[in-house]
Every structure is written in C-alpha cells, then in structure tokens.
Amino acid sequence: MKLLKVILTLLTAGILLIGCSSPNENSDSKKKDSNLSIYTTVYPLQYIVEEIGGDTVDVHSVYPPGADGHMYEPTSKEMTEFAKSDAFIYIGAGMEGFADSVSNALASQSVELIEIGVHEELFKKGLYEHAGHQHDENEFILIDGLSDHYHSGDSFTLTAKSNEDTAHNHWHWFTLDSDSGDWVVVEDLHENIYEDEVSVSGQQIKAVLYDDNHETIAESEPVTIVINDHGHDHEDSEDHDHGESEEHNHDHGESEEHDHEATDDHHHGKIGDYGAEIEGLAAHYHTGDMITLTAKPVEDTGNNHWHWFILAPDAEDWEVAEDAHGDTYEAEATLSGQQIKAVLYDGDHEVVAESEPKTIIIDDHTDHDPHIWVDPLRMIAIAEIVKEELTALNPDDSELYKENFAILKDNLTELDQRFLDLLSQKENKYIIVPHSAFGYWEERYDVKQITINGLSSGDEPSQKELIEVMKAAEEYDLNTVLYEQNSDNRLSKVVQEETGAEAATIHNLEVRTEEDIKNGEDYISLMEYNLDILDKVMK
C-alpha cells in the first residue's frame, strides 16, 4: 500500500511539475526575488539555514506544525512549490519516508537537492565523545582527484585533505567492493595519497586520519570508482538474442536470431551521427527503490526503438534488459555499481545513438541513526555543510555566512557545555522515551534511552517488548515516562499507567508545535527545555 502511494505521488507530481513552468520561467521568477528560497524537512535544518542565511534566505520546513516527521508525506501541490525553490535540504539516512520520491520527482528541475545524510562522518561514533581525547568536530576529510569514470587498467591518484590544519599525518585507506558488506584496509599505505590501478567498478574508497594513539580524528565520505570502457561489445553470444521469442522480432525484418550485431564502428564508440542522454539518475538508491531512467537522443532521429543494457560490477559483458524496448527503463535497485546504458536503433536495426553508461549506487545507511541534530556538536558539523551549500548558491554573501556560522558555532558550543555540566552530576541517566530519537546523547552525555518504539515512531513494539520496557522501569527505579510533542503517545500512556509513573514531555525537535511557534521557541530554547526535563527526571 505504501509503494502504491509513492507511485501515485510520483505520477501526479510528474504531471504537475511538467505543467508548473519551464526551467527558464523558474529562473525568471527567482531573479525577481533576491532572497534564496529554501525548503527543509526537520526543524533543526530550518533553524540552521535561518541562522546562517539571515536576511538573504526565505526558509520553510515542509512539515506542518506538530507533524510526525517519520510518517509525513507531501502532497503533489506542495511538491510543485518545492520545485520553484532554490534548494531542498533534507536529512535522508532513513529519516524522511518521502525523501526518495521527492528527490526523484525534482531531479529534472532547477532546485538544488541537498541530502545531509550523504556525509558519513556525521553518523560516526567516537568523533564527538565527552571523555579524554575529544576531537575537533569540524575537522573533516575531503578526497581530491576522483575522475567521473575510468577505463579498465587506468591508474588513479586520490589525495586526502583535512579542511582544517592538523599536525597529524597517520592515514589509512579502506575499500568496499559492491558485493561485500565489510570495509577492507589497504595494506602498507599510511600516507594521504592513494595510487592504484582501477579494477572493480562500483568500488568505494575512504580515508581515515588517526592521532598518535591510533584514535580516529576524522574520516572522509566514501568516493566511488566507476569504470566505463566505452568499447563494450553487447553481443553476449553468437546469436545474442536478448532472450526474446522468435515471434518477438519487432517487425523490423530481423532474422530469428535478432542478434543486434554491432558494427566495428560501434565497437569503438562511434554511434552514428547522434548521441543519447539518460535522465533521472539519483545520487544513490536504497535497496528495493525503483529506478526510473529516461533516454533521449541528443538530436531528433525519427526513431524510437530502444534497448537497455546492464553491466554487473564483476562482469565483462553487457546483458540486455529484458522487455525494455521503450525510452524508459524501470527496475528495482538491487546491485550497487551496476551500469546501465541505452541504445537507439533504426528500422534496419542499425545503431543510431548510444548513451554513456550510468552507474547505480546503493547506500542503505543500515547502521545510521538519523536523529543527529540532538547533539549540538553534530549540529555544528551540519551547519558547516549548510554554510558551504549557501555559499555555492550565493557567493556574494559568503562573508556574511562565515560570520553567522561563527556565532552559531559559539552558541551551540555553549549549549553543549551546559548539557555536559548538568548531566555529569547525574548518577541515574536512564530515560523512557517513545522512540529512539536520543541515541546520540548516550555517546556525548552518557544518557541511556529505553525506547518503546524503534528508530521510527511508526514502529509497533510487540507485547513482549512492552513488558521489557516495564521491567526496565522497575530495574532502574524510573518514575517518569516521557512523551513527545508530535506523537499520539498512545503506547507511552500504556507504559505509564501500568508502571504507575508520572508523565512529562520531551522535545525531539523534528518539528515545532503551533504553541512553540507562537512563543518564538527555537532550537536553543527547546534544547534548554529538554535539559530542564532531564534535570527533573534524573537522579
């Protein structure tokens, strides 16, 4: 039912987006307004953009006041409004259920799609700890030198750089093949430069910087190696019949083999007089997501007979995609590193045009808790990313953004210190919460959440799991069950009544309520409210 809802949303949004305006009309409308128009999802993103952007931005959260961020899905009308904006900023990493459908629907529009969750360092443990060796939360690693694609046997040179000065220079490089679940260290390489020969398309590479005690200081985002040999030969067998029956010969006068035999010119990358482009590729997919790609010739050829071809990361030969003979390719995302291309044929089944291959990247964020904003230090890291994105959108106000970021960083650092000062005095730091929205408090402040639901407020616990929560309340002598500002708190009330505990409300900051907005509450004041609640319920 959920899949059907996403499909209907995409179809409706696609129709509306086509009709809403042309790219030029969007550009003209933006030129009339000097402010950047930005939509965000969770409230902390809105807060950051407002604080850094100041008077240069008009920013809105897509969530209505009090909505459940995990369950909300935008209407088609709202999506047309997103398409008119300069940027759409969201967490990703499994936070917003609608994120993929929105990003796919907006991919062909002029709006900048900014997914915070692609920055892997934001979710890493150990970078923001409160004990002993505290690291600079803004010291991140960038990798330079990646080409958009390579040919088999090409050499590559990647250079890891910290965006802040550091005296440390002990590096390790790690690789992850597309068919593997584990990162593997590159042996005997401890420098910031990685040189090798490309061998596996879809392979991911990352760099990690360590201190003298071999504690992690910073880690790069993974980069992906894409191999595109261009000299592909898509006759997989002598007949290369694409798995079609003898009857399915498309009425083009082909032989029963229907072998799509390519010419020598085609083998060498020459594709007649025309090229082709593929649109609709997402930056990454989650396993099971729907891939929808559209092929278009660079120039009108009068032909419309397409075939799509697939190359697995560990394969040498392209395979034809069964039953895909139109200009649109649809399939579920199942294999990271898989390449897809489209070939256009004429009435004699000669190649007219061929696209460059596109690579499917799957990133399931399987171990990510998306609620990174509850940690003020991670908020600083998010703010650094937002500052750079705003600067790219509006370079003229870069100095303003730097100044506002510095002020925001100081305010968030002071907030973090207030949490540390108060919570370091507490001995019993267990809390019962509706869902797992406060996990980053454990690493930073040693707060241990006992959750009724899982990472999503929509998860339903079993009877056994509810009993375990009640047992934990007794074991840790907890006399308060915490509700959330944007939840019906039905199960929290059950636990409260069964344990005889009191109720209090904690704020997960996903969204503000009408009352919050009326009272002028912001991220800092809501976090201070949470600190007061923790002070009251902890011993």
Side-chain angles (χ1 to χ4, degrees), residues 446-457:
D446 203 28
V447 173
K448 298 176 175 61
Q449 60 178 352
I450 300 169
T451 61
I452 297 172
N453 298 312
L455 280 174
S456 170
S457 52

Side-chain angles (χ1 to χ4, degrees), residues 225-242:
I225 299 293
V226 175
I227 296 177
N228 178 5
D229 284 329
H230 304 295
H232 42 266
D233 181 348
H234 61 252
E235 46 178 282
D236 298 320
S237 66
E238 289 183 5
D239 292 337
H240 191 59
D241 64 4
H242 292 220

Side-chain angles (χ1 to χ4, degrees), residues 96-139:
E96 305 95 345
F98 63 87
D100 288 330
S101 61
V102 170
S103 61
N104 288 336
L106 298 181
S108 62
Q109 302 299 304
S110 59
V111 58
E112 189 75 19
L113 300 175
I114 301 169
E115 181 180 2
I116 300 299
V118 300
H119 297 270
E120 295 285 327
E121 69 274 9
L122 295 173
F123 305 93
K124 298 299 180 183
K125 295 182 178 179
L127 298 182
Y128 306 91
E129 56 204 2
H130 62 275
H133 46 273
Q134 205 175 119
H135 304 304
D136 185 348
E137 68 276 2
N138 292 309
E139 190 173 346

Side-chain angles (χ1 to χ4, degrees), residues 143-147 150 155-159 173 193-196:
I143 293 181
D144 290 338
L146 182 74
S147 296
Y150 299 88
S155 295
F156 65 83
T157 301
L158 303 178
T159 303
W173 292 82
I193 297 177
Y194 179 24
E195 297 179 326
D196 204 350

